[in-house]
Amino acid sequence: MKVTIKDIAAVAGVSYSTVSKALNNSPLVQEKTKRKIIKLSQEMGYKPNFAARSLVSNQTMVIGLIWPTIDRIVLSTLVTKISNEIRNTDYSMVLSVDPVETSIETFKRFQVDGIILFEENISNPIETESLPILSYGVINDARKNYPTIDPNYEEAMNKAVKYLFGLGHTKIAYISNLSSPDPMQIEKNRSFRKAMQLHGLSIKDEYIIDTEGFNFYDGYTATSKLLNLHDRPTAIVGGSYDLSSGIIRAISEKKLSIPKDISVISYDNIPEMENTEVPLTCIGVSIDQLATEIVHSMIKFVENNVISNPKQFNKKMSPVLVERESCGTPS
Amino acid sequence: MKVTIKDIAAVAGVSYSTVSKALNNSPLVQEKTKRKIIKLSQEMGYKPNFAARSLVSNQTMVIGLIWPTIDRIVLSTLVTKISNEIRNTDYSMVLSVDPVETSIETFKRFQVDGIILFEENISNPIETESLPILSYGVINDARKNYPTIDPNYEEAMNKAVKYLFGLGHTKIAYISNLSSPDPMQIEKNRSFRKAMQLHGLSIKDEYIIDTEGFNFYDGYTATSKLLNLHDRPTAIVGGSYDLSSGIIRAISEKKLSIPKDISVISYDNIPEMENTEVPLTCIGVSIDQLATEIVHSMIKFVENNVISNPKQFNKKMSPVLVERESCGTPS
DNA sequence: TTGTATGCGTTATCAT
DNA sequence: ATGATAACGCATACAA
């Protein structure tokens, strides 16, 4: 049978309310008794009853993460980081891979204290109804009444183009998933064009390539197509880590060298960028920072139980450019 | 404020125990009152309190799935299927991407009713300690004291080789991740060799290629290497769906045709096999069946609350061969 | 068929 | 500093 605080109380010869206080490290109980009780509880293998605790405290100390599209590498990295980050707090994280609406239902039944939501693959804003929801996405939709953490694609693409331009590049190509209905992808693509304009650079249609997906091979095919052009670009901006190995592979198969013949910079700032065939210069909010911000904003939001004005938790992040070995001056 | 059964009782003019019974569809309450109460509860937006319910019933109706390596496509498909399957039951599923030990801790605190575990990437058997654990893996380790659902690699590989042999192939190659420490991969690879021996076929060392990973490109590289051989095989057995697009791609780049020049059969029986460049003949337990079996065994195990003799839930599945267009007689 | 009373394990509010 | 007790929301044995 499970051991409860009453069992401990019986053995310790105190009342169970004292045990409760001791276990919660209340100052209202003597150090001596406290230590005795704690020691006893360990010996007896006491595990607090989650249901009972949340019944009385009205919170579960669990935050739910909804992840309906478990296929992109970058996202799985983010999920892992978030999971680790939450493990460092008093909260636990739990994942649902069901569709957003279903997941929210489940999480409500579960009475999680808050929900983290990726805006990838979700087009309509969600109805929150009293449960703290925080999204990772783009701050733009006035209809949303929940806060969002925004990786700031505009600044990222701007920095990328500025960097390339500074090195002397003007013939800059962009390889990304342009056919995705995903609001985050759309914003990313839009931001590239805007950055080019800002630098007074013309955008050749043939330099904008749609990968139509996020697999290695999508990046490979797109890049091969690009390199078959008579007038090749001198630099490529890649839209995602998921595409980058394919991009690099296509270049090296054409016997071109990075960065001597062609420079490559990729969106997504994750450590794995170091480990591609050529260590990639990349741009984006560091994934660790992203994870940290997401979970701490979430927790602040949850604990600031006043749910009025959720937008105060909106946050635009600062992308950084990590220089490695894939960019140089055009030849 | 939240609405409870007491609120409903007050409005309905009955006692709250009647409401409880009605909501649980007890036969001890009149159809008429039942309907009235149910209708009322919907109108009032009643949501049962999960904590209270599980406090009294001693069960959460939640089963936890541990998935520490969120990167392989096939597995994400399986996870999704399992999630869907559980959605059809009274249970909910919740995922953890933490390391196995940590996940079990979390799930225990959570008091999930059962845990599903993938044996990918786990080498030592887990200590179960009173909580129903079901694994997806290989039935072989006597130290395990929890049941496992086994995809039966031996029969799968045997059927694959038999099929190819029946078509007239004798020069059969095998492309898979041979360097993985994963017990499931090891068993799969062992099974191929055994199947070859069983059919009296010799195994040329050059025909066994290690992909050293599960990415598209791993399959591509391995196959390219294979096709550079003077004495090419007439058939290839691929070890995983994750590898198969790479295999196909490498073949078509050599201007070889499937199945005219070379036959390909791949392990993993998922519908996506239909959608590769050449629809792939494949072998394996259908992923739907797998998911169904896993969740129903899990639930049976959970509800059969006697935890003695867990091995009774061990189950070896029956892999099937799905003929599509990638295999033919050797030219 | 319906209502009353009790208990699940915990925290929190009172007394002592 | 410690103990008694109510309360959380629900299910259920028992009483009516």
Side-chain angles (χ1 to χ4, degrees), chain A residues 16-60:
Chain A
Y16 66 84
S17 81
T18 303
V19 175
S20 172
K21 285 172 200 149
L23 259 23
N24 288 308
N25 198 22
S26 158
L28 291 77
V29 51
Q30 245 179 352
E31 268 309 316
K32 201 170 44 177
T33 15
K34 206 184 278 188
R35 261 197 298 279
K36 187 173 84 176
I37 291 175
I38 291 178
K39 181 155 162 283
L40 213 51
S41 76
Q42 284 166 346
E43 289 171 2
M44 300 176 65
Y46 167 74
K47 302 273 178 209
N49 183 305
F50 179 74
R53 180 176 290 176
S54 62
L55 179 58
V56 46
S57 69
N58 232 331
Q59 48 174 1
T60 54

mmCIF file of all heavy atoms in Angstrom, chain A residues 16-60:
data_model
loop_
_atom_site.group_PDB
_atom_site.id
_atom_site.type_symbol
_atom_site.label_atom_id
_atom_site.label_comp_id
_atom_site.label_asym_id
_atom_site.label_seq_id
_atom_site.Cartn_x
_atom_site.Cartn_y
_atom_site.Cartn_z
ATOM 1 N N TYR A 16 -0.543 14.352 11.778
ATOM 2 C CA TYR A 16 -0.188 14.403 10.353
ATOM 3 C C TYR A 16 -0.088 15.827 9.847
ATOM 4 O O TYR A 16 0.551 16.096 8.843
ATOM 5 C CB TYR A 16 -1.147 13.577 9.502
ATOM 6 C CG TYR A 16 -2.574 14.073 9.438
ATOM 7 C CD1 TYR A 16 -2.949 15.057 8.529
ATOM 8 C CD2 TYR A 16 -3.551 13.532 10.265
ATOM 9 C CE1 TYR A 16 -4.261 15.499 8.460
ATOM 10 C CE2 TYR A 16 -4.863 13.957 10.206
ATOM 11 C CZ TYR A 16 -5.216 14.951 9.307
ATOM 12 O OH TYR A 16 -6.508 15.384 9.228
ATOM 13 N N SER A 17 -0.699 16.732 10.556
ATOM 14 C CA SER A 17 -0.560 18.124 10.099
ATOM 15 C C SER A 17 0.867 18.607 10.340
ATOM 16 O O SER A 17 1.417 19.378 9.564
ATOM 17 C CB SER A 17 -1.580 19.016 10.792
ATOM 18 O OG SER A 17 -1.148 19.377 12.063
ATOM 19 N N THR A 18 1.458 18.108 11.390
ATOM 20 C CA THR A 18 2.864 18.447 11.633
ATOM 21 C C THR A 18 3.746 17.881 10.526
ATOM 22 O O THR A 18 4.671 18.534 10.033
ATOM 23 C CB THR A 18 3.323 17.881 12.990
ATOM 24 O OG1 THR A 18 2.473 18.391 14.008
ATOM 25 C CG2 THR A 18 4.756 18.292 13.264
ATOM 26 N N VAL A 19 3.437 16.673 10.157
ATOM 27 C CA VAL A 19 4.199 16.051 9.063
ATOM 28 C C VAL A 19 4.088 16.893 7.807
ATOM 29 O O VAL A 19 5.084 17.189 7.138
ATOM 30 C CB VAL A 19 3.695 14.626 8.788
ATOM 31 C CG1 VAL A 19 4.401 14.040 7.576
ATOM 32 C CG2 VAL A 19 3.892 13.742 10.003
ATOM 33 N N SER A 20 2.889 17.290 7.496
ATOM 34 C CA SER A 20 2.671 18.108 6.305
ATOM 35 C C SER A 20 3.539 19.360 6.362
ATOM 36 O O SER A 20 4.240 19.685 5.406
ATOM 37 C CB SER A 20 1.196 18.493 6.204
ATOM 38 O OG SER A 20 1.017 19.427 5.164
ATOM 39 N N LYS A 21 3.495 20.023 7.494
ATOM 40 C CA LYS A 21 4.296 21.239 7.633
ATOM 41 C C LYS A 21 5.784 20.934 7.487
ATOM 42 O O LYS A 21 6.507 21.648 6.785
ATOM 43 C CB LYS A 21 4.031 21.879 9.003
ATOM 44 C CG LYS A 21 2.702 22.580 9.089
ATOM 45 C CD LYS A 21 2.436 23.017 10.519
ATOM 46 C CE LYS A 21 0.961 23.257 10.742
ATOM 47 N NZ LYS A 21 0.570 22.955 12.142
ATOM 48 N N ALA A 22 6.220 19.904 8.152
ATOM 49 C CA ALA A 22 7.633 19.553 8.094
ATOM 50 C C ALA A 22 8.075 19.316 6.655
ATOM 51 O O ALA A 22 9.092 19.836 6.194
ATOM 52 C CB ALA A 22 7.902 18.322 8.934
ATOM 53 N N LEU A 23 7.263 18.534 5.959
ATOM 54 C CA LEU A 23 7.612 18.191 4.581
ATOM 55 C C LEU A 23 7.603 19.410 3.673
ATOM 56 O O LEU A 23 8.315 19.460 2.670
ATOM 57 C CB LEU A 23 6.629 17.136 4.057
ATOM 58 C CG LEU A 23 7.101 15.680 4.028
ATOM 59 C CD1 LEU A 23 8.233 15.418 5.007
ATOM 60 C CD2 LEU A 23 5.942 14.740 4.264
ATOM 61 N N ASN A 24 6.815 20.393 4.029
ATOM 62 C CA ASN A 24 6.789 21.607 3.230
ATOM 63 C C ASN A 24 7.754 22.648 3.780
ATOM 64 O O ASN A 24 7.692 23.816 3.426
ATOM 65 C CB ASN A 24 5.380 22.182 3.176
ATOM 66 C CG ASN A 24 4.482 21.325 2.320
ATOM 67 O OD1 ASN A 24 4.826 21.021 1.179
ATOM 68 N ND2 ASN A 24 3.357 20.909 2.867
ATOM 69 N N ASN A 25 8.591 22.195 4.669
ATOM 70 C CA ASN A 25 9.635 23.046 5.229
ATOM 71 C C ASN A 25 9.068 24.314 5.870
ATOM 72 O O ASN A 25 9.606 25.396 5.716
ATOM 73 C CB ASN A 25 10.643 23.403 4.132
ATOM 74 C CG ASN A 25 11.946 23.892 4.719
ATOM 75 O OD1 ASN A 25 12.253 23.597 5.873
ATOM 76 N ND2 ASN A 25 12.684 24.653 3.946
ATOM 77 N N SER A 26 7.989 24.132 6.582
ATOM 78 C CA SER A 26 7.388 25.270 7.265
ATOM 79 C C SER A 26 8.256 25.701 8.439
ATOM 80 O O SER A 26 8.849 24.868 9.127
ATOM 81 C CB SER A 26 5.989 24.872 7.760
ATOM 82 O OG SER A 26 5.600 25.716 8.815
ATOM 83 N N PRO A 27 8.355 27.000 8.682
ATOM 84 C CA PRO A 27 9.149 27.487 9.817
ATOM 85 C C PRO A 27 8.446 27.233 11.146
ATOM 86 O O PRO A 27 9.035 27.445 12.201
ATOM 87 C CB PRO A 27 9.250 28.989 9.538
ATOM 88 C CG PRO A 27 8.059 29.300 8.697
ATOM 89 C CD PRO A 27 7.764 28.081 7.899
ATOM 90 N N LEU A 28 7.225 26.759 11.073
ATOM 91 C CA LEU A 28 6.457 26.572 12.306
ATOM 92 C C LEU A 28 6.718 25.226 12.967
ATOM 93 O O LEU A 28 5.959 24.792 13.820
ATOM 94 C CB LEU A 28 4.964 26.690 12.031
ATOM 95 C CG LEU A 28 4.413 28.068 11.646
ATOM 96 C CD1 LEU A 28 4.715 28.412 10.209
ATOM 97 C CD2 LEU A 28 2.935 28.144 11.937
ATOM 98 N N VAL A 29 7.748 24.553 12.519
ATOM 99 C CA VAL A 29 8.032 23.267 13.145
ATOM 100 C C VAL A 29 9.522 23.181 13.498
ATOM 101 O O VAL A 29 10.381 23.633 12.760
ATOM 102 C CB VAL A 29 7.584 22.110 12.226
ATOM 103 C CG1 VAL A 29 8.124 22.283 10.830
ATOM 104 C CG2 VAL A 29 7.977 20.772 12.794
ATOM 105 N N GLN A 30 9.781 22.615 14.643
ATOM 106 C CA GLN A 30 11.152 22.550 15.150
ATOM 107 C C GLN A 30 12.099 21.844 14.175
ATOM 108 O O GLN A 30 11.737 20.849 13.575
ATOM 109 C CB GLN A 30 11.168 21.782 16.471
ATOM 110 C CG GLN A 30 11.572 22.644 17.641
ATOM 111 C CD GLN A 30 11.545 21.866 18.934
ATOM 112 O OE1 GLN A 30 11.076 20.718 18.974
ATOM 113 N NE2 GLN A 30 12.022 22.478 20.002
ATOM 114 N N GLU A 31 13.304 22.378 14.117
ATOM 115 C CA GLU A 31 14.309 21.787 13.250
ATOM 116 C C GLU A 31 14.457 20.287 13.529
ATOM 117 O O GLU A 31 14.539 19.484 12.607
ATOM 118 C CB GLU A 31 15.663 22.475 13.456
ATOM 119 C CG GLU A 31 15.904 23.652 12.516
ATOM 120 C CD GLU A 31 15.666 23.312 11.067
ATOM 121 O OE1 GLU A 31 16.107 22.236 10.611
ATOM 122 O OE2 GLU A 31 15.007 24.111 10.358
ATOM 123 N N LYS A 32 14.479 19.966 14.763
ATOM 124 C CA LYS A 32 14.712 18.577 15.159
ATOM 125 C C LYS A 32 13.616 17.656 14.606
ATOM 126 O O LYS A 32 13.884 16.679 13.910
ATOM 127 C CB LYS A 32 14.779 18.490 16.686
ATOM 128 C CG LYS A 32 15.492 17.260 17.199
ATOM 129 C CD LYS A 32 15.754 17.353 18.710
ATOM 130 C CE LYS A 32 14.530 17.868 19.468
ATOM 131 N NZ LYS A 32 14.728 17.911 20.938
ATOM 132 N N THR A 33 12.379 17.996 14.928
ATOM 133 C CA THR A 33 11.256 17.194 14.444
ATOM 134 C C THR A 33 11.243 17.159 12.923
ATOM 135 O O THR A 33 10.975 16.134 12.297
ATOM 136 C CB THR A 33 9.908 17.782 14.923
ATOM 137 O OG1 THR A 33 10.115 19.105 15.395
ATOM 138 C CG2 THR A 33 9.312 16.921 16.010
ATOM 139 N N LYS A 34 11.521 18.288 12.350
ATOM 140 C CA LYS A 34 11.545 18.380 10.898
ATOM 141 C C LYS A 34 12.499 17.337 10.322
ATOM 142 O O LYS A 34 12.131 16.545 9.456
ATOM 143 C CB LYS A 34 11.994 19.792 10.495
ATOM 144 C CG LYS A 34 11.497 20.246 9.145
ATOM 145 C CD LYS A 34 12.063 21.605 8.760
ATOM 146 C CE LYS A 34 11.303 22.755 9.387
ATOM 147 N NZ LYS A 34 11.740 24.067 8.858
ATOM 148 N N ARG A 35 13.707 17.350 10.862
ATOM 149 C CA ARG A 35 14.711 16.424 10.338
ATOM 150 C C ARG A 35 14.271 14.982 10.528
ATOM 151 O O ARG A 35 14.407 14.149 9.652
ATOM 152 C CB ARG A 35 16.054 16.670 11.026
ATOM 153 C CG ARG A 35 17.005 17.520 10.189
ATOM 154 C CD ARG A 35 18.438 17.401 10.682
ATOM 155 N NE ARG A 35 18.580 17.882 12.059
ATOM 156 C CZ ARG A 35 18.693 19.184 12.381
ATOM 157 N NH1 ARG A 35 18.696 20.096 11.421
ATOM 158 N NH2 ARG A 35 18.808 19.549 13.630
ATOM 159 N N LYS A 36 13.740 14.725 11.697
ATOM 160 C CA LYS A 36 13.300 13.354 11.979
ATOM 161 C C LYS A 36 12.243 12.909 10.964
ATOM 162 O O LYS A 36 12.315 11.827 10.376
ATOM 163 C CB LYS A 36 12.713 13.292 13.408
ATOM 164 C CG LYS A 36 12.381 11.879 13.858
ATOM 165 C CD LYS A 36 11.971 11.810 15.319
ATOM 166 C CE LYS A 36 10.491 12.120 15.485
ATOM 167 N NZ LYS A 36 10.023 11.982 16.889
ATOM 168 N N ILE A 37 11.296 13.781 10.750
ATOM 169 C CA ILE A 37 10.197 13.446 9.845
ATOM 170 C C ILE A 37 10.679 13.252 8.413
ATOM 171 O O ILE A 37 10.294 12.308 7.723
ATOM 172 C CB ILE A 37 9.121 14.548 9.900
ATOM 173 C CG1 ILE A 37 8.422 14.500 11.269
ATOM 174 C CG2 ILE A 37 8.123 14.391 8.783
ATOM 175 C CD1 ILE A 37 7.433 15.606 11.491
ATOM 176 N N ILE A 38 11.553 14.155 7.999
ATOM 177 C CA ILE A 38 12.063 14.039 6.633
ATOM 178 C C ILE A 38 12.831 12.731 6.454
ATOM 179 O O ILE A 38 12.646 12.023 5.454
ATOM 180 C CB ILE A 38 12.981 15.243 6.307
ATOM 181 C CG1 ILE A 38 12.122 16.509 6.219
ATOM 182 C CG2 ILE A 38 13.720 15.018 5.000
ATOM 183 C CD1 ILE A 38 12.895 17.768 5.944
ATOM 184 N N LYS A 39 13.639 12.435 7.430
ATOM 185 C CA LYS A 39 14.410 11.190 7.365
ATOM 186 C C LYS A 39 13.456 9.998 7.275
ATOM 187 O O LYS A 39 13.593 9.118 6.422
ATOM 188 C CB LYS A 39 15.280 11.082 8.622
ATOM 189 C CG LYS A 39 16.166 9.852 8.689
ATOM 190 C CD LYS A 39 17.383 10.100 9.581
ATOM 191 C CE LYS A 39 18.042 8.785 10.010
ATOM 192 N NZ LYS A 39 17.270 8.117 11.081
ATOM 193 N N LEU A 40 12.477 10.012 8.154
ATOM 194 C CA LEU A 40 11.484 8.942 8.198
ATOM 195 C C LEU A 40 10.769 8.795 6.866
ATOM 196 O O LEU A 40 10.579 7.689 6.338
ATOM 197 C CB LEU A 40 10.482 9.264 9.304
ATOM 198 C CG LEU A 40 9.881 8.067 10.038
ATOM 199 C CD1 LEU A 40 10.995 7.147 10.515
ATOM 200 C CD2 LEU A 40 9.065 8.562 11.225
ATOM 201 N N SER A 41 10.383 9.918 6.298
ATOM 202 C CA SER A 41 9.603 9.867 5.067
ATOM 203 C C SER A 41 10.420 9.238 3.943
ATOM 204 O O SER A 41 9.883 8.526 3.102
ATOM 205 C CB SER A 41 9.167 11.282 4.667
ATOM 206 O OG SER A 41 10.251 11.995 4.106
ATOM 207 N N GLN A 42 11.719 9.517 3.966
ATOM 208 C CA GLN A 42 12.571 8.893 2.948
ATOM 209 C C GLN A 42 12.671 7.400 3.172
ATOM 210 O O GLN A 42 12.528 6.603 2.244
ATOM 211 C CB GLN A 42 13.961 9.535 2.965
ATOM 212 C CG GLN A 42 13.965 10.906 2.316
ATOM 213 C CD GLN A 42 15.224 11.683 2.624
ATOM 214 O OE1 GLN A 42 15.988 11.320 3.518
ATOM 215 N NE2 GLN A 42 15.436 12.764 1.893
ATOM 216 N N GLU A 43 12.903 7.031 4.428
ATOM 217 C CA GLU A 43 13.013 5.603 4.739
ATOM 218 C C GLU A 43 11.757 4.844 4.345
ATOM 219 O O GLU A 43 11.813 3.741 3.811
ATOM 220 C CB GLU A 43 13.264 5.416 6.236
ATOM 221 C CG GLU A 43 14.658 5.839 6.682
ATOM 222 C CD GLU A 43 14.773 5.848 8.203
ATOM 223 O OE1 GLU A 43 13.773 5.480 8.883
ATOM 224 O OE2 GLU A 43 15.832 6.235 8.686
ATOM 225 N N MET A 44 10.628 5.464 4.615
ATOM 226 C CA MET A 44 9.370 4.774 4.343
ATOM 227 C C MET A 44 8.975 4.872 2.862
ATOM 228 O O MET A 44 7.981 4.295 2.437
ATOM 229 C CB MET A 44 8.258 5.344 5.225
ATOM 230 C CG MET A 44 8.539 5.205 6.725
ATOM 231 S SD MET A 44 7.277 5.992 7.755
ATOM 232 C CE MET A 44 5.826 5.013 7.378
ATOM 233 N N GLY A 45 9.747 5.610 2.108
ATOM 234 C CA GLY A 45 9.460 5.719 0.670
ATOM 235 C C GLY A 45 8.208 6.518 0.375
ATOM 236 O O GLY A 45 7.422 6.178 -0.502
ATOM 237 N N TYR A 46 8.061 7.572 1.107
ATOM 238 C CA TYR A 46 6.870 8.398 0.903
ATOM 239 C C TYR A 46 6.934 9.171 -0.419
ATOM 240 O O TYR A 46 7.951 9.764 -0.752
ATOM 241 C CB TYR A 46 6.735 9.394 2.051
ATOM 242 C CG TYR A 46 5.735 10.487 1.802
ATOM 243 C CD1 TYR A 46 4.373 10.217 1.854
ATOM 244 C CD2 TYR A 46 6.146 11.778 1.489
ATOM 245 C CE1 TYR A 46 3.447 11.215 1.612
ATOM 246 C CE2 TYR A 46 5.233 12.777 1.244
ATOM 247 C CZ TYR A 46 3.876 12.496 1.294
ATOM 248 O OH TYR A 46 2.974 13.478 1.047
ATOM 249 N N LYS A 47 5.849 9.111 -1.171
ATOM 250 C CA LYS A 47 5.702 9.940 -2.368
ATOM 251 C C LYS A 47 4.426 10.747 -2.217
ATOM 252 O O LYS A 47 3.354 10.167 -2.023
ATOM 253 C CB LYS A 47 5.570 9.072 -3.629
ATOM 254 C CG LYS A 47 6.719 8.119 -3.878
ATOM 255 C CD LYS A 47 7.829 8.782 -4.647
ATOM 256 C CE LYS A 47 8.991 7.815 -4.843
ATOM 257 N NZ LYS A 47 10.280 8.499 -4.953
ATOM 258 N N PRO A 48 4.526 12.057 -2.282
ATOM 259 C CA PRO A 48 3.310 12.875 -2.119
ATOM 260 C C PRO A 48 2.271 12.510 -3.178
ATOM 261 O O PRO A 48 2.614 12.190 -4.307
ATOM 262 C CB PRO A 48 3.812 14.303 -2.302
ATOM 263 C CG PRO A 48 5.159 14.195 -2.921
ATOM 264 C CD PRO A 48 5.712 12.865 -2.517
ATOM 265 N N ASN A 49 1.052 12.545 -2.806
ATOM 266 C CA ASN A 49 -0.020 12.245 -3.746
ATOM 267 C C ASN A 49 -0.383 13.498 -4.533
ATOM 268 O O ASN A 49 -0.916 14.472 -4.019
ATOM 269 C CB ASN A 49 -1.241 11.707 -3.011
ATOM 270 C CG ASN A 49 -2.329 11.323 -3.987
ATOM 271 O OD1 ASN A 49 -2.750 12.121 -4.808
ATOM 272 N ND2 ASN A 49 -2.781 10.083 -3.907
ATOM 273 N N PHE A 50 -0.059 13.379 -5.798
ATOM 274 C CA PHE A 50 -0.238 14.480 -6.727
ATOM 275 C C PHE A 50 -1.690 14.956 -6.779
ATOM 276 O O PHE A 50 -1.982 16.151 -6.730
ATOM 277 C CB PHE A 50 0.211 13.989 -8.096
ATOM 278 C CG PHE A 50 0.084 14.965 -9.179
ATOM 279 C CD1 PHE A 50 0.968 16.024 -9.273
ATOM 280 C CD2 PHE A 50 -0.900 14.828 -10.140
ATOM 281 C CE1 PHE A 50 0.862 16.926 -10.307
ATOM 282 C CE2 PHE A 50 -1.008 15.726 -11.162
ATOM 283 C CZ PHE A 50 -0.133 16.781 -11.249
ATOM 284 N N ALA A 51 -2.599 14.009 -6.850
ATOM 285 C CA ALA A 51 -4.013 14.346 -6.985
ATOM 286 C C ALA A 51 -4.508 15.103 -5.763
ATOM 287 O O ALA A 51 -5.177 16.130 -5.880
ATOM 288 C CB ALA A 51 -4.834 13.086 -7.195
ATOM 289 N N ALA A 52 -4.147 14.598 -4.615
ATOM 290 C CA ALA A 52 -4.602 15.241 -3.378
ATOM 291 C C ALA A 52 -4.057 16.658 -3.291
ATOM 292 O O ALA A 52 -4.773 17.606 -2.970
ATOM 293 C CB ALA A 52 -4.147 14.428 -2.174
ATOM 294 N N ARG A 53 -2.794 16.768 -3.591
ATOM 295 C CA ARG A 53 -2.171 18.076 -3.495
ATOM 296 C C ARG A 53 -2.822 19.066 -4.451
ATOM 297 O O ARG A 53 -3.139 20.194 -4.084
ATOM 298 C CB ARG A 53 -0.685 17.956 -3.801
ATOM 299 C CG ARG A 53 0.027 19.279 -3.727
ATOM 300 C CD ARG A 53 1.517 19.109 -3.952
ATOM 301 N NE ARG A 53 2.164 18.433 -2.836
ATOM 302 C CZ ARG A 53 3.449 18.096 -2.845
ATOM 303 N NH1 ARG A 53 4.185 18.357 -3.914
ATOM 304 N NH2 ARG A 53 3.998 17.513 -1.801
ATOM 305 N N SER A 54 -3.038 18.639 -5.674
ATOM 306 C CA SER A 54 -3.578 19.606 -6.626
ATOM 307 C C SER A 54 -5.058 19.846 -6.372
ATOM 308 O O SER A 54 -5.599 20.882 -6.740
ATOM 309 C CB SER A 54 -3.311 19.174 -8.064
ATOM 310 O OG SER A 54 -3.941 17.965 -8.333
ATOM 311 N N LEU A 55 -5.691 18.899 -5.716
ATOM 312 C CA LEU A 55 -7.096 19.116 -5.358
ATOM 313 C C LEU A 55 -7.205 20.301 -4.405
ATOM 314 O O LEU A 55 -8.039 21.180 -4.578
ATOM 315 C CB LEU A 55 -7.663 17.863 -4.681
ATOM 316 C CG LEU A 55 -9.122 17.979 -4.230
ATOM 317 C CD1 LEU A 55 -10.015 18.316 -5.413
ATOM 318 C CD2 LEU A 55 -9.578 16.701 -3.567
ATOM 319 N N VAL A 56 -6.352 20.335 -3.443
ATOM 320 C CA VAL A 56 -6.443 21.414 -2.471
ATOM 321 C C VAL A 56 -5.766 22.705 -2.947
ATOM 322 O O VAL A 56 -6.256 23.798 -2.697
ATOM 323 C CB VAL A 56 -5.900 20.975 -1.092
ATOM 324 C CG1 VAL A 56 -4.594 20.253 -1.252
ATOM 325 C CG2 VAL A 56 -5.738 22.144 -0.156
ATOM 326 N N SER A 57 -4.664 22.552 -3.667
ATOM 327 C CA SER A 57 -3.936 23.764 -4.052
ATOM 328 C C SER A 57 -4.448 24.351 -5.360
ATOM 329 O O SER A 57 -4.085 25.458 -5.737
ATOM 330 C CB SER A 57 -2.450 23.458 -4.196
ATOM 331 O OG SER A 57 -2.239 22.632 -5.316
ATOM 332 N N ASN A 58 -5.261 23.559 -6.040
ATOM 333 C CA ASN A 58 -5.820 24.034 -7.297
ATOM 334 C C ASN A 58 -4.766 24.282 -8.375
ATOM 335 O O ASN A 58 -4.972 25.074 -9.292
ATOM 336 C CB ASN A 58 -6.600 25.321 -7.071
ATOM 337 C CG ASN A 58 -7.984 25.204 -7.643
ATOM 338 O OD1 ASN A 58 -8.186 24.465 -8.612
ATOM 339 N ND2 ASN A 58 -8.923 25.900 -7.052
ATOM 340 N N GLN A 59 -3.632 23.646 -8.240
ATOM 341 C CA GLN A 59 -2.683 23.702 -9.352
ATOM 342 C C GLN A 59 -1.930 22.396 -9.473
ATOM 343 O O GLN A 59 -1.762 21.666 -8.492
ATOM 344 C CB GLN A 59 -1.719 24.871 -9.197
ATOM 345 C CG GLN A 59 -1.111 24.976 -7.836
ATOM 346 C CD GLN A 59 -0.043 26.052 -7.773
ATOM 347 O OE1 GLN A 59 0.215 26.726 -8.758
ATOM 348 N NE2 GLN A 59 0.588 26.193 -6.634
ATOM 349 N N THR A 60 -1.479 22.113 -10.687
ATOM 350 C CA THR A 60 -0.869 20.813 -10.937
ATOM 351 C C THR A 60 0.647 20.877 -11.036
ATOM 352 O O THR A 60 1.302 19.853 -11.049
ATOM 353 C CB THR A 60 -1.414 20.227 -12.245
ATOM 354 O OG1 THR A 60 -1.217 21.194 -13.290
ATOM 355 C CG2 THR A 60 -2.884 19.907 -12.122
#
